[in-house]
Amino acid sequence: MQLLIDIIQHPIGKNKVEHLAAIASSETFSVKDLIDLSFDRNEQIGFRAAWILERLYSNHQERFLPQANYFLEKLPFQHNLSALRHYVKILAFITHNKANANVKNIINHYDTTQILEVVFAWLNDEKIPVAVKSHCLNILANLVPKHNWIKDELIETMEFLVDKESIAFFAKVKQIRKQLRVES
């Protein structure tokens, strides 16, 4: 893992991120290593580890899934806003209704109570960037089938936030309303 730290302590581009995601394995560095590194005190190392983790989920899901529960357990404790953007993007993919059966099985059997609490908190936190909030909206809307009470809370929260946030947030709210089939 020291080799990975040595690489990601310096700026890296998209091609290098894709390469590192492709070579992640038990022989080089694991998904668990990337999750742990995403909490590094050096925020840049944390950000880069989370970025690689996101690409690993997108392109090599079969290697991510054995550590999905570990990822879900650690997610509420992610405070690096740059890493958080990748975390919530992964969670939006995991909770999406078009996720594959293995992914759906993981989220259906996972107690999402703490995740829901923290995602709603991030959505309402004015220090959280709009890109993170956008993924939070997706996550919450995606979890409505598992927790039907979310729909009313989410609609109320969106109504409260829509005038306080950016045009990009407003556009995402329109998309989520459509997903939830709510009139604006």
Side-chain angles (χ1 to χ4, degrees):
M1 186 164 76
Q2 187 58 48
L3 176 62
L4 176 61
I5 295 169
D6 292 344
I7 293 169
I8 66 174
Q9 68 183 338
H10 304 288
I12 56 176
K14 182 180 180 192
N15 290 339
K16 188 67 168 180
V17 167
E18 295 290 345
H19 173 72
L20 291 169
I23 67 166
S25 67
S26 57
E27 293 86 42
T28 55
F29 53 89
S30 68
V31 171
K32 187 177 183 300
D33 292 336
L34 285 170
I35 293 167
D36 291 341
L37 270 178
S38 73
F39 289 89
D40 197 275
R41 284 181 289 166
N42 179 324
E43 289 191 353
Q44 290 302 309
I45 288 175
F47 155 70
R48 293 177 190 121
W51 187 14
I52 296 165
L53 186 67
E54 179 209 323
R55 300 315 305 150
L56 195 145
Y57 178 86
S58 294
N59 298 329
H60 310 282
Q61 202 172 86
E62 71 285 352
R63 285 188 260 154
F64 181 92
L65 292 184
Q67 293 297 327
N69 283 337
Y70 185 67
F71 170 81
L72 293 170
E73 290 166 15
K74 298 292 276 183
L75 178 130
F77 306 104
Q78 185 55 266
H79 299 291
N80 175 339
L81 295 180
S82 297
L84 184 59
R85 181 176 184 173
H86 297 289
Y87 265 64
V88 294
K89 189 171 182 182
I90 293 168
L91 187 58
F93 289 142
I94 289 173
T95 59
H96 196 277
N97 66 350
K98 292 185 179 173
N100 75 41
N102 293 332
V103 175
K104 285 182 180 181
N105 188 46
I106 290 167
I107 206 67
N108 286 336
H109 289 94
Y110 191 84
D111 179 4
T112 53
T113 305
Q114 186 178 20
I115 288 174
L116 290 172
E117 290 173 8
V118 76
V119 171
F120 266 114
W122 289 332
L123 188 56
N124 287 295
D125 187 339
E126 55 193 44
K127 295 180 189 108
I128 298 293
V130 72
V132 171
K133 290 182 178 195
S134 176
H135 291 303
C136 288
L137 290 173
N138 285 118
I139 293 161
L140 294 167
N142 292 345
L143 287 172
V144 166
K146 183 174 179 172
H147 305 280
N148 59 3
W149 63 266
I150 294 173
K151 183 176 179 179
D152 292 335
E153 289 290 322
L154 181 55
I155 291 167
E156 192 174 307
T157 302
M158 288 188 308
E159 291 303 317
F160 176 75
L161 293 174
V162 76
D163 293 329
K164 296 177 178 5
E165 295 291 340
S166 68
I167 290 292
F169 186 84
F170 179 76
K172 178 58 84 168
V173 165
K174 282 181 68 173
Q175 177 189 354
I176 297 300
R177 283 181 180 147
K178 186 175 179 182
Q179 179 179 341
L180 298 174
R181 291 172 179 74
V182 175
E183 296 297 320
S184 49

